[in-house]
Amino acid sequence: MKKILFVATGGTISTERDSSIQGYISKRTGEELISSLDLENRPVETVNFRKINSPYMTPLDMLELGGLLRENLRRKEITGAVVTHGTATLEETAFL
């Protein structure tokens, strides 16, 4: 059975409150994000690419993410990819 590639980059979906800074930081891994989903026995391969809020996603990060996706989507056992990403730079990452 083919696998879905789940790539976690951080963003709001991965944040938790951090009392030491009185704010939220990206903490959750990709495995933690998908642990409560019913994937109907669908194999998922998780890649924890980054744990950053999207304003900190640099063009270099975006290019590296694109390379990671190109490389993995060429693999015969991968049927597609899901990328979690914060909204602040989502458009820029998708464009690049």
Side-chain angles (χ1 to χ4, degrees):
M1 179 180 283
K2 291 192 171 202
K3 295 189 252 182
I4 297 169
L5 183 69
F6 184 89
V7 182
T9 69
T12 303
I13 193 170
S14 72
T15 61
E16 291 181 3
R17 180 131 175 93
D18 185 322
S19 58
S20 68
I21 64 165
Q22 297 300 309
Y24 291 86
I25 61 172
S26 293
K27 287 187 174 184
R28 293 187 190 109
T29 65
E31 292 84 2
E32 290 171 310
L33 293 174
I34 65 171
S35 66
S36 64
L37 300 178
D38 180 7
L39 297 172
E40 300 177 17
N41 299 318
R42 184 65 133 156
V44 176
E45 181 177 322
T46 304
V47 175
N48 291 298
F49 177 74
R50 297 281 187 274
K51 268 197 229 173
I52 58 175
N53 292 331
S54 63
Y56 302 111
M57 182 73 73
T58 68
L60 186 59
D61 292 323
M62 296 171 191
L63 288 171
E64 189 177 332
L65 176 60
L68 181 141
L69 290 167
R70 276 190 303 281
E71 179 181 321
N72 281 283
L73 290 172
R74 287 186 187 120
R75 295 170 42 207
K76 291 180 179 161
E77 69 272 18
I78 300 295
T79 192
V82 174
V83 179
T84 61
H85 193 297
T87 55
T89 58
L90 178 62
E91 181 180 3
E92 290 84 353
T93 299
F95 177 79
L96 192 58

